[in-house]
Coordinates of all heavy atoms in Angstrom, one line a residue:
V6 N 178.2 162.9 164.1 CA 179.1 161.9 164.6 C 178.3 160.6 164.7 O 177.3 160.5 165.3 CB 179.7 162.3 166.0 CG1 180.5 161.1 166.6 CG2 180.5 163.5 165.9
I7 N 178.9 159.5 164.2 CA 178.3 158.2 164.2 C 179.1 157.4 165.2 O 180.3 157.2 165.1 CB 178.3 157.5 162.9 CG1 177.5 158.4 161.9 CG2 177.7 156.1 163.0 CD1 177.5 157.8 160.5
N8 N 178.4 156.9 166.2 CA 179.0 156.0 167.2 C 178.5 154.6 167.1 O 177.3 154.4 166.7 CB 178.7 156.5 168.6 CG 179.4 157.8 168.9 OD1 180.5 158.0 168.5 ND2 178.8 158.7 169.7
N9 N 179.3 153.6 167.3 CA 178.9 152.2 167.4 C 178.4 151.7 166.0 O 177.4 151.0 166.0 CB 177.9 151.9 168.5 CG 178.5 152.2 169.8 OD1 179.7 152.0 170.1 ND2 177.7 152.7 170.7
L10 N 179.0 152.2 164.9 CA 178.5 151.7 163.6 C 179.1 150.3 163.4 O 180.2 150.1 163.5 CB 179.1 152.7 162.5 CG 178.7 152.3 161.1 CD1 177.2 152.3 160.9 CD2 179.4 153.2 160.1
M11 N 178.2 149.4 163.1 CA 178.6 148.0 162.8 C 178.0 147.6 161.5 O 176.8 147.7 161.3 CB 178.1 147.1 164.0 CG 178.6 145.7 163.8 SD 178.0 144.4 164.9 CE 177.7 145.1 166.4
I12 N 178.9 147.1 160.7 CA 178.4 146.5 159.4 C 178.7 145.0 159.4 O 179.8 144.6 159.7 CB 179.2 147.2 158.2 CG1 178.9 148.7 158.2 CG2 178.8 146.5 156.9 CD1 179.7 149.4 157.2
T13 N 177.7 144.2 159.2 CA 177.9 142.8 159.3 C 177.6 142.2 157.9 O 176.8 142.7 157.1 CB 176.9 142.1 160.3 OG1 175.6 142.3 159.9 CG2 177.2 142.6 161.7
N14 N 178.3 141.2 157.6 CA 178.2 140.4 156.3 C 178.0 139.0 156.7 O 178.7 138.1 156.2 CB 179.4 140.7 155.4 CG 179.1 140.4 154.0 OD1 177.9 140.1 153.6 ND2 180.1 140.3 153.2
D15 N 177.1 138.7 157.6 CA 176.8 137.3 158.0 C 176.2 136.5 157.0 O 175.4 137.0 156.1 CB 175.9 137.3 159.3 CG 176.5 137.9 160.5 OD1 177.8 138.0 160.6 OD2 175.8 138.3 161.4
L16 N 176.6 135.2 157.0 CA 176.0 134.3 156.0 C 174.7 133.8 156.5 O 174.5 133.4 157.7 CB 177.0 133.1 155.9 CG 176.6 132.0 154.9 CD1 176.6 132.5 153.5 CD2 177.7 130.9 155.0
K17 N 173.7 133.9 155.6 CA 172.3 133.5 156.0 C 171.8 132.4 155.0 O 172.3 132.4 153.9 CB 171.4 134.8 155.9 CG 171.7 135.9 156.9 CD 170.8 137.0 156.8 CE 171.0 137.9 155.6 NZ 172.2 138.6 155.4
A18 N 170.9 131.7 155.5 CA 170.4 130.5 154.6 C 169.8 131.0 153.3 O 170.0 130.3 152.3 CB 169.3 129.8 155.4
D19 N 169.3 132.2 153.3 CA 168.7 132.6 152.0 C 169.7 133.3 151.1 O 169.3 133.9 150.0 CB 167.4 133.5 152.2 CG 167.7 134.7 153.0 OD1 168.9 134.9 153.5 OD2 166.8 135.6 153.1
D20 N 171.0 133.3 151.5 CA 172.0 133.9 150.6 C 172.2 133.0 149.4 O 172.8 133.5 148.4 CB 173.3 134.1 151.3 CG 173.3 135.2 152.3 OD1 172.4 136.1 152.2 OD2 174.2 135.3 153.2
V21 N 171.9 131.8 149.5 CA 172.1 130.8 148.4 C 170.8 130.0 148.2 O 170.1 129.6 149.1 CB 173.2 129.8 148.7 CG1 173.3 128.8 147.6 CG2 174.5 130.6 148.9
K22 N 170.4 129.9 146.9 CA 169.2 129.2 146.5 C 169.7 127.9 145.9 O 170.5 127.9 145.0 CB 168.4 130.0 145.5 CG 167.1 129.5 145.1 CD 166.4 130.5 144.2 CE 165.1 130.0 143.8 NZ 164.4 130.9 142.8
I23 N 169.2 126.8 146.4 CA 169.5 125.4 145.9 C 168.2 124.8 145.4 O 167.3 124.6 146.2 CB 170.2 124.6 147.0 CG1 171.5 125.3 147.5 CG2 170.5 123.2 146.5 CD1 172.0 124.8 148.7
Y24 N 168.2 124.4 144.1 CA 166.9 123.9 143.6 C 167.2 123.0 142.4 O 168.3 123.2 141.7 CB 166.0 125.0 143.2 CG 166.5 126.0 142.2 CD1 166.2 125.8 140.8 CD2 167.4 127.0 142.5 CE1 166.8 126.7 139.9 CE2 167.9 127.9 141.6 CZ 167.6 127.7 140.2 OH 168.1 128.6 139.3
P25 N 166.3 122.1 142.0 CA 165.3 121.6 142.9 C 165.9 120.7 144.0 O 166.9 120.1 143.8 CB 164.4 120.8 141.9 CG 165.3 120.3 140.9 CD 166.4 121.4 140.8
N26 N 165.2 120.6 145.1 CA 165.6 119.7 146.2 C 164.4 119.1 146.8 O 163.7 119.9 147.5 CB 166.5 120.4 147.2 CG 167.1 119.5 148.2 OD1 167.2 118.3 148.0 ND2 167.4 120.1 149.4
P27 N 164.0 117.9 146.6 CA 164.8 116.8 145.9 C 165.0 117.0 144.4 O 164.2 117.7 143.8 CB 164.1 115.5 146.3 CG 162.7 115.9 146.7 CD 162.8 117.3 147.1
S28 N 166.0 116.4 143.9 CA 166.3 116.5 142.5 C 166.5 115.1 141.9 O 166.7 114.1 142.6 CB 167.6 117.3 142.3 OG 168.1 117.2 141.0
E29 N 166.5 115.1 140.5 CA 166.7 113.8 139.8 C 168.1 113.7 139.3 O 168.5 112.9 138.5 CB 165.7 113.6 138.7 CG 164.3 113.4 139.2 CD 163.3 113.2 138.1 OE1 163.7 113.2 136.9 OE2 162.1 113.0 138.4
G30 N 169.0 114.6 139.8 CA 170.4 114.6 139.4 C 171.0 115.9 139.1 O 172.2 116.2 139.5
D31 N 170.3 116.8 138.5 CA 170.8 118.2 138.2 C 170.4 119.1 139.3 O 169.2 119.2 139.7 CB 170.2 118.7 136.9 CG 170.8 118.0 135.6 OD1 171.9 117.5 135.7 OD2 170.1 117.9 134.6
L32 N 171.4 119.8 139.8 CA 171.1 120.7 141.0 C 171.7 122.1 140.6 O 172.8 122.2 140.2 CB 171.9 120.1 142.2 CG 171.5 120.7 143.5 CD1 170.1 120.4 143.9 CD2 172.5 120.2 144.6
N33 N 170.8 123.1 140.8 CA 171.2 124.5 140.6 C 171.6 125.1 141.9 O 170.8 125.0 142.9 CB 170.1 125.3 139.9 CG 169.8 124.8 138.6 OD1 170.5 124.9 137.7 ND2 168.6 124.1 138.4
I34 N 172.7 125.8 141.9 CA 173.1 126.5 143.1 C 173.3 128.0 142.7 O 174.1 128.3 141.8 CB 174.4 126.0 143.7 CG1 174.3 124.5 144.0 CG2 174.8 126.8 145.0 CD1 175.5 123.8 144.4
E35 N 172.6 128.9 143.3 CA 172.6 130.3 142.9 C 172.9 131.2 144.1 O 172.2 131.1 145.1 CB 171.2 130.6 142.4 CG 171.0 132.0 141.8 CD 169.7 132.1 141.2 OE1 169.1 131.2 140.7 OE2 169.2 133.3 141.1
S36 N 173.9 132.0 144.0 CA 174.2 133.0 145.0 C 173.5 134.3 144.7 O 173.6 134.9 143.7 CB 175.7 133.3 145.0 OG 176.0 134.4 145.8
N37 N 172.7 134.7 145.7 CA 172.1 136.0 145.6 C 172.4 136.9 146.8 O 171.6 137.5 147.4 CB 170.5 135.8 145.5 CG 170.0 135.0 146.6 OD1 170.7 134.6 147.5 ND2 168.7 134.7 146.6
S38 N 173.7 136.9 147.1 CA 174.2 137.6 148.3 C 175.2 138.6 147.9 O 175.7 138.7 146.8 CB 174.8 136.6 149.3 OG 176.0 136.2 148.9
S39 N 175.6 139.4 148.9 CA 176.6 140.4 148.8 C 178.0 139.9 149.1 O 179.0 140.6 149.0 CB 176.3 141.6 149.7 OG 176.3 141.2 151.0
H40 N 178.1 138.6 149.4 CA 179.4 138.0 149.7 C 180.2 138.0 148.4 O 179.7 137.7 147.3 CB 179.3 136.6 150.2 CG 178.5 136.6 151.5 ND1 179.1 136.9 152.7 CD2 177.2 136.2 151.8 CE1 178.2 136.8 153.7 NE2 177.1 136.4 153.2
T41 N 181.5 138.3 148.5 CA 182.4 138.3 147.3 C 182.4 136.9 146.7 O 182.3 136.7 145.5 CB 183.8 138.7 147.7 OG1 183.7 139.9 148.4 CG2 184.7 138.8 146.5
W42 N 182.5 135.9 147.5 CA 182.4 134.5 147.0 C 181.9 133.6 148.2 O 182.0 134.0 149.3 CB 183.8 134.0 146.6 CG 184.9 134.2 147.6 CD1 185.8 135.3 147.7 CD2 185.2 133.4 148.7 NE1 186.6 135.2 148.8 CE2 186.3 134.0 149.4 CE3 184.7 132.2 149.2 CZ2 186.9 133.4 150.6 CZ3 185.3 131.6 150.3 CH2 186.4 132.3 151.0
L43 N 181.5 132.4 147.8 CA 181.2 131.3 148.7 C 181.9 130.1 148.3 O 182.0 129.8 147.1 CB 179.7 131.1 148.7 CG 178.8 132.2 149.2 CD1 177.3 131.9 148.9 CD2 178.9 132.4 150.7
E44 N 182.4 129.4 149.3 CA 183.0 128.1 149.0 C 181.9 127.1 149.2 O 181.2 127.1 150.2 CB 184.2 127.8 149.9 CG 184.8 126.5 149.6 CD 186.0 126.2 150.5 OE1 186.3 126.9 151.5 OE2 186.7 125.2 150.2
I45 N 181.7 126.2 148.2 CA 180.7 125.2 148.3 C 181.4 123.8 148.4 O 182.3 123.5 147.6 CB 179.8 125.1 147.0 CG1 179.3 126.5 146.6 CG2 178.7 124.1 147.1 CD1 178.3 127.1 147.5
L46 N 181.0 123.1 149.5 CA 181.6 121.8 149.7 C 180.5 120.8 149.7 O 179.5 121.0 150.4 CB 182.3 121.8 151.1 CG 183.5 122.8 151.2 CD1 183.4 123.5 152.5 CD2 184.8 122.1 151.0
I47 N 180.7 119.7 149.0 CA 179.6 118.6 149.0 C 180.2 117.4 149.5 O 181.2 116.9 149.1 CB 179.1 118.4 147.5 CG1 178.6 119.7 146.9 CG2 178.1 117.3 147.5 CD1 178.2 119.7 145.5
Y48 N 179.4 116.8 150.5 CA 179.9 115.6 151.2 C 178.8 114.5 151.0 O 177.6 114.8 151.0 CB 180.0 115.8 152.7 CG 181.1 116.8 153.1 CD1 180.9 118.2 153.1 CD2 182.4 116.3 153.3 CE1 181.9 119.1 153.5 CE2 183.4 117.2 153.6 CZ 183.1 118.6 153.7 OH 184.1 119.5 154.0
S49 N 179.3 113.2 151.0 CA 178.3 112.1 151.0 C 177.8 112.0 152.4 O 178.3 112.7 153.3 CB 179.0 110.8 150.6 OG 179.9 110.5 151.7
I50 N 176.7 111.3 152.6 CA 176.1 111.1 153.9 C 177.1 110.5 154.9 O 176.9 110.6 156.1 CB 174.7 110.3 153.8 CG1 173.9 110.5 155.0 CG2 175.0 108.9 153.5 CD1 173.4 111.9 155.2
T51 N 178.1 109.8 154.4 CA 179.1 109.2 155.3 C 180.2 110.1 155.6 O 181.1 109.8 156.4 CB 179.7 107.9 154.6 OG1 180.4 108.3 153.4 CG2 178.6 106.9 154.3
G52 N 180.2 111.3 155.1 CA 181.2 112.4 155.4 C 182.3 112.5 154.4 O 183.2 113.3 154.6
K53 N 182.3 111.7 153.4 CA 183.4 111.8 152.4 C 183.2 113.0 151.5 O 182.1 113.3 151.0 CB 183.4 110.6 151.5 CG 184.5 110.6 150.4 CD 184.4 109.3 149.6 CE 185.4 109.4 148.4 NZ 185.3 108.4 147.5
E54 N 184.2 113.9 151.3 CA 184.1 115.0 150.4 C 184.0 114.6 149.0 O 184.8 113.9 148.5 CB 185.3 116.0 150.6 CG 185.1 117.3 149.8 CD 186.2 118.3 150.1 OE1 186.6 118.5 151.2 OE2 186.7 118.8 149.1
I55 N 182.9 115.0 148.3 CA 182.7 114.6 146.9 C 183.2 115.7 146.0 O 183.8 115.4 144.9 CB 181.1 114.4 146.7 CG1 180.6 113.4 147.6 CG2 180.8 114.1 145.2 CD1 181.1 112.0 147.5
S56 N 183.0 117.0 146.3 CA 183.4 118.1 145.4 C 183.5 119.3 146.2 O 182.9 119.5 147.3 CB 182.3 118.2 144.4 OG 182.6 119.2 143.5
S57 N 184.3 120.3 145.7 CA 184.4 121.6 146.3 C 184.7 122.6 145.2 O 185.4 122.3 144.2 CB 185.4 121.7 147.4 OG 186.7 121.5 146.9
F58 N 184.1 123.8 145.3 CA 184.3 124.8 144.3 C 183.9 126.1 144.9 O 183.3 126.2 146.0 CB 183.5 124.5 143.0 CG 182.1 124.2 143.2 CD1 181.1 125.2 143.2 CD2 181.7 122.9 143.4 CE1 179.8 124.8 143.4 CE2 180.4 122.5 143.6 CZ 179.4 123.5 143.6
Y59 N 184.2 127.2 144.2 CA 183.8 128.6 144.7 C 182.7 129.1 143.7 O 182.7 128.9 142.6 CB 185.0 129.5 144.6 CG 186.0 129.2 145.7 CD1 187.0 128.3 145.5 CD2 185.9 129.8 147.0 CE1 188.0 127.9 146.5 CE2 186.8 129.5 148.0 CZ 187.8 128.6 147.7 OH 188.7 128.2 148.7
L60 N 181.8 129.9 144.4 CA 180.8 130.5 143.6 C 180.8 132.0 143.9 O 180.8 132.4 145.1 CB 179.4 129.9 144.1 CG 178.2 130.5 143.4 CD1 178.2 130.1 142.0 CD2 176.9 129.9 144.1
E61 N 181.0 132.8 142.9 CA 181.1 134.2 143.0 C 179.7 134.8 143.3 O 178.7 134.2 143.0 CB 181.7 134.9 141.8 CG 183.1 134.5 141.6 CD 183.7 135.1 140.3 OE1 183.1 135.9 139.7 OE2 184.9 134.8 140.0
A62 N 179.7 136.0 143.9 CA 178.4 136.7 144.2 C 177.6 136.9 143.0 O 178.1 137.1 141.9 CB 178.8 138.1 144.8
N63 N 176.3 136.7 143.2 CA 175.3 136.8 142.1 C 175.6 136.0 140.9 O 175.5 136.4 139.8 CB 175.1 138.3 141.7 CG 174.7 139.1 142.9 OD1 173.7 138.8 143.6 ND2 175.4 140.2 143.2
N64 N 176.0 134.8 141.1 CA 176.3 133.8 140.0 C 175.5 132.5 140.3 O 175.0 132.3 141.3 CB 177.8 133.6 140.0 CG 178.3 133.3 138.6 OD1 177.5 132.9 137.8 ND2 179.6 133.4 138.5
R65 N 175.5 131.7 139.2 CA 174.7 130.4 139.3 C 175.6 129.3 138.7 O 176.3 129.6 137.7 CB 173.4 130.5 138.6 CG 172.6 129.3 138.7 CD 171.2 129.4 138.1 NE 171.2 130.1 136.9 CZ 170.1 130.5 136.2 NH1 169.0 130.2 136.7 NH2 170.2 131.1 135.1
I66 N 175.5 128.1 139.2 CA 176.2 127.0 138.7 C 175.2 125.8 138.7 O 174.3 125.7 139.6 CB 177.4 126.7 139.5 CG1 178.3 125.6 138.9 CG2 177.1 126.3 140.9 CD1 179.7 125.5 139.5
K67 N 175.4 124.9 137.8 CA 174.6 123.6 137.7 C 175.6 122.5 137.9 O 176.6 122.4 137.2 CB 173.9 123.5 136.4 CG 173.0 122.2 136.3 CD 172.3 122.1 135.0 CE 171.0 122.8 135.0 NZ 170.2 122.5 133.9
I68 N 175.2 121.6 138.8 CA 176.0 120.4 139.0 C 175.2 119.1 138.9 O 174.0 119.2 139.0 CB 176.7 120.4 140.4 CG1 175.7 120.4 141.5 CG2 177.7 121.6 140.5 CD1 176.3 120.2 142.9
K69 N 175.9 118.0 138.6 CA 175.2 116.7 138.5 C 175.7 115.8 139.6 O 176.9 115.8 139.9 CB 175.6 116.0 137.2 CG 174.7 116.4 136.0 CD 175.0 115.4 134.9 CE 174.0 115.4 133.8 NZ 172.6 115.3 134.2
L70 N 174.7 115.2 140.3 CA 175.1 114.2 141.4 C 174.3 112.9 141.1 O 173.2 112.9 140.6 CB 174.7 114.8 142.7 CG 175.4 116.1 143.2 CD1 174.8 116.7 144.4 CD2 176.9 115.7 143.5
K71 N 175.0 111.9 141.6 CA 174.3 110.5 141.5 C 173.3 110.4 142.6 O 173.3 111.2 143.6 CB 175.3 109.4 141.7 CG 176.3 109.4 140.5 CD 177.4 108.3 140.8 CE 178.4 108.3 139.7 NZ 179.4 107.3 139.9
K72 N 172.4 109.4 142.5 CA 171.4 109.2 143.5 C 172.0 109.0 144.9 O 173.0 108.4 145.1 CB 170.6 107.9 143.1 CG 169.4 107.6 144.0 CD 168.7 106.3 143.5 CE 167.6 106.0 144.4 NZ 166.8 104.9 143.9
G73 N 171.4 109.7 145.8 CA 171.9 109.6 147.2 C 171.5 110.8 148.0 O 170.8 111.7 147.6
I74 N 172.0 110.9 149.3 CA 171.8 112.0 150.2 C 173.1 112.6 150.4 O 174.1 112.0 150.7 CB 171.1 111.5 151.5 CG1 169.8 110.9 151.2 CG2 171.0 112.7 152.5 CD1 169.1 110.3 152.4
Y75 N 173.2 114.0 150.3 CA 174.4 114.7 150.4 C 174.2 115.8 151.4 O 173.1 116.3 151.7 CB 174.8 115.3 149.1 CG 175.0 114.3 148.0 CD1 174.0 113.8 147.2 CD2 176.3 113.8 147.8 CE1 174.2 112.9 146.2 CE2 176.5 112.8 146.8 CZ 175.5 112.4 146.0 OH 175.7 111.5 145.0
I76 N 175.3 116.3 152.0 CA 175.4 117.5 152.8 C 176.2 118.5 152.0 O 177.3 118.3 151.6 CB 176.1 117.2 154.2 CG1 175.3 116.1 154.9 CG2 176.1 118.5 155.0 CD1 173.9 116.3 155.2
L77 N 175.5 119.6 151.8 CA 176.2 120.7 151.1 C 176.5 121.8 152.2 O 175.7 122.2 152.9 CB 175.2 121.3 150.1 CG 175.8 122.3 149.1 CD1 175.2 122.1 147.7 CD2 175.4 123.7 149.6
K78 N 177.8 122.2 152.2 CA 178.2 123.2 153.2 C 178.6 124.4 152.4 O 179.3 124.4 151.4 CB 179.4 122.7 154.0 CG 179.0 121.6 155.0 CD 180.1 121.3 155.9 CE 179.6 120.2 156.9 NZ 180.7 119.9 157.9
L79 N 178.1 125.6 152.9 CA 178.4 126.9 152.3 C 179.3 127.6 153.3 O 179.0 127.7 154.5 CB 177.1 127.7 152.1 CG 176.0 126.9 151.4 CD1 174.7 127.7 151.6 CD2 176.3 126.8 150.0
K80 N 180.4 128.1 152.8 CA 181.4 128.8 153.7 C 181.7 130.2 153.0 O 182.1 130.2 151.9 CB 182.6 128.0 153.9 CG 183.6 128.6 154.9 CD 184.9 127.8 154.9 CE 184.8 126.4 155.1 NZ 186.1 125.7 155.2
N81 N 181.6 131.3 153.8 CA 181.9 132.6 153.2 C 183.3 133.0 153.6 O 184.0 132.2 154.3 CB 180.9 133.6 153.7 CG 180.9 134.0 155.2 OD1 181.8 133.5 155.9 ND2 180.0 134.8 155.6
Q82 N 183.7 134.2 153.2 CA 185.1 134.6 153.4 C 185.4 134.8 154.9 O 186.6 134.8 155.3 CB 185.5 135.8 152.6 CG 184.5 137.0 152.8 CD 183.4 137.0 151.8 OE1 182.9 136.0 151.4 NE2 182.9 138.2 151.5
N83 N 184.4 134.9 155.7 CA 184.5 135.1 157.2 C 184.5 133.7 157.9 O 184.5 133.7 159.1 CB 183.4 135.9 157.8 CG 183.5 137.4 157.2 OD1 184.5 137.9 156.9 ND2 182.3 138.0 157.1
R84 N 184.5 132.6 157.1 CA 184.6 131.3 157.6 C 183.3 130.8 158.3 O 183.3 129.9 159.0 CB 185.8 131.0 158.5 CG 187.1 131.5 158.0 CD 188.0 130.9 157.1 NE 188.6 129.6 157.3 CZ 188.7 128.8 156.2 NH1 188.2 129.1 155.1 NH2 189.3 127.7 156.3
Q85 N 182.2 131.6 158.1 CA 180.9 131.1 158.6 C 180.4 130.0 157.7 O 180.5 130.0 156.5 CB 179.9 132.3 158.6 CG 180.3 133.4 159.5 CD 179.5 134.6 159.4 OE1 179.1 135.0 158.2 NE2 179.1 135.3 160.5
I86 N 179.7 129.0 158.3 CA 179.3 127.9 157.6 C 177.8 127.6 157.8 O 177.3 127.7 158.9 CB 180.1 126.6 158.0 CG1 181.5 126.8 157.7 CG2 179.5 125.3 157.3 CD1 182.4 125.7 158.2
I87 N 177.1 127.3 156.7 CA 175.7 126.8 156.8 C 175.7 125.5 156.0 O 176.3 125.3 155.0 CB 174.8 127.8 156.0 CG1 174.6 129.1 156.9 CG2 173.4 127.2 155.8 CD1 173.7 130.1 156.2
S88 N 175.0 124.5 156.6 CA 174.9 123.2 156.0 C 173.4 122.9 155.5 O 172.5 123.4 156.2 CB 175.2 122.1 157.0 OG 176.6 122.2 157.4
K89 N 173.3 122.3 154.4 CA 172.0 121.9 153.9 C 172.0 120.5 153.4 O 173.0 120.0 152.8 CB 171.6 122.8 152.7 CG 171.5 124.3 153.1 CD 171.0 125.1 151.9 CE 170.9 126.6 152.4 NZ 169.6 127.1 152.0
K90 N 170.9 119.8 153.6 CA 170.8 118.4 153.1 C 170.2 118.4 151.7 O 169.2 119.1 151.4 CB 169.9 117.6 154.1 CG 169.7 116.1 153.6 CD 169.1 115.3 154.7 CE 167.6 115.5 154.7 NZ 166.9 114.5 155.5
I91 N 170.8 117.6 150.8 CA 170.4 117.5 149.4 C 170.0 116.1 149.1 O 170.7 115.2 149.5 CB 171.6 117.9 148.5 CG1 172.1 119.3 148.8 CG2 171.2 117.8 147.0 CD1 171.1 120.4 148.6
I92 N 168.9 115.9 148.5 CA 168.4 114.6 148.2 C 168.4 114.4 146.6 O 167.7 115.2 146.0 CB 167.0 114.3 148.8 CG1 167.1 114.4 150.3 CG2 166.5 112.9 148.3 CD1 165.8 114.3 151.0
I93 N 169.0 113.4 146.1 CA 169.0 113.1 144.7 C 168.3 111.8 144.5 O 168.7 110.8 145.1 CB 170.4 113.0 144.1 CG1 171.2 114.3 144.4 CG2 170.4 112.8 142.6 CD1 170.7 115.6 143.8
E94 N 167.2 111.8 143.8 CA 166.3 110.6 143.7 C 166.7 109.8 142.4 O 167.1 110.3 141.4 CB 164.9 111.0 143.6 CG 164.5 111.7 144.9 CD 163.0 112.2 144.9 OE1 162.6 112.7 143.8 OE2 162.4 112.1 145.9

């Protein structure tokens, strides 16, 4: 008999690899987690949403951004959010 079995699928900072950061414009975002999908939201430093898309588990995407500082928010299916600062030189 198993009592108090808890399975968590919490979002952790190392679930997604973002590189290079700082970058000269091309940014790789790679999911190495067990999450079915992650929603990626990119905001300017002033808070304006620049882009949003979904990244499936164990997948990679390359995006281009103009020079600036951005906030990248990662959201999983449980609505947990992690924010990361991205610098494009």
Side-chain angles (χ1 to χ4, degrees):
V6 176
I7 299 175
N8 291 325
N9 299 325
L10 177 64
M11 185 187 328
I12 299 172
T13 62
N14 199 10
D15 291 340
L16 184 60
K17 298 180 284 302
D19 61 352
D20 285 344
V21 176
K22 188 174 176 183
I23 301 168
Y24 60 95
N26 187 22
S28 168
E29 292 182 1
D31 290 331
L32 193 65
N33 296 291
I34 303 172
E35 185 175 332
S36 169
N37 53 3
S38 75
S39 60
H40 298 283
T41 306
W42 54 264
L43 294 170
E44 183 178 10
I45 311 293
L46 301 135
I47 301 173
Y48 295 90
S49 69
I50 196 69
T51 62
K53 179 182 175 188
E54 187 176 314
I55 303 297
S56 182
S57 67
F58 49 90
Y59 289 89
L60 182 62
E61 293 180 5
N63 299 311
N64 210 341
R65 180 175 43 185
I66 188 170
K67 181 183 272 192
I68 61 171
K69 274 194 164 310
L70 293 170
K71 295 179 182 177
K72 183 177 180 178
I74 299 174
Y75 299 88
I76 303 299
L77 188 139
K78 291 188 178 184
L79 311 166
K80 187 187 308 183
N81 69 2
Q82 56 269 30
N83 297 330
R84 316 272 307 138
Q85 296 172 319
I86 297 173
I87 291 179
S88 297
K89 297 186 179 229
K90 182 168 80 172
I91 305 297
I92 299 172
I93 307 297
E94 300 176 321

